[in-house]
Amino acid sequence: MNFGAVVGLYYIGKFCFFPLSLHSTMAALLFLGLTLMVPFFIYRLVRRYRDICCDGKIDFSRAFTFSMLTMAFGSLLAAAAHYVYFAFIDGGAMIGALQENLAQLQGVDLSALEGANADTIAQFNQYIEVVQQTIGQLQAMSPIDITMGMLSNNVSWSVILSLPIALIIKK
């Protein structure tokens, strides 16, 4: 759980860039970069656990369990921060930013672009419909619904990411 607390703090720090990423490309790139670094960060933690706590030897099942539980505990800690954000801080800002982005997309005239054919325009219109549906679904969700969805997503990814990490780290 100590390693999970470290991962949770990493997830919380990474999440701080999420609301900013709706308005800033740089924040979006930082959020994406930190998200892509999670497997490497977990690999280093599992390797450290193997070398310090297991005398340099670890089998697949122990590495898998440690990696998965570390990310799961971190996800639980991050879920608390997610709930606080969506319940008390956000106040609809995320949905407002998505609606602004949608309005900008709807203002794009694809027929004026060079090389835009009917298929491209149809796909773009489908994309706009998907974004509208997503915004509608998010508006219907409570902060706890959003938090539980994010927690479920994080735990699912922890299982998926733990497999290759455990395969690589076992000795």
Side-chain angles (χ1 to χ4, degrees), residues 5 49-50 79 127 134 150:
Y49 172 75
R50 177 196 69 193
Y127 175 73
T134 303
M150 293 175 80

Side-chain angles (χ1 to χ4, degrees), residues 82-91 143:
H82 294 160
Y83 179 75
V84 168
Y85 173 76
F86 288 113
F88 304 111
I89 299 170
D90 183 59

Side-chain angles (χ1 to χ4, degrees), residues 24-74:
S24 167
T25 305
M26 185 59 144
L29 289 173
L30 282 170
F31 179 74
L32 179 63
L34 290 172
T35 300
L36 293 174
M37 290 302 297
V38 168
F40 302 103
F41 181 59
I42 297 300
Y43 168 80
R44 295 209 25 133
L45 289 177
V46 176
R47 193 178 75 188
R48 182 180 172 109
Y49 172 75
R50 177 196 69 193
D51 294 342
I52 293 174
C53 300
C54 299
D55 297 326
K57 297 177 188 168
I58 194 168
D59 61 353
F60 171 80
S61 62
R62 190 167 186 177
F64 175 76
T65 304
F66 178 80
S67 175
M68 185 182 62
L69 288 176
T70 299
M71 286 187 275
F73 286 133

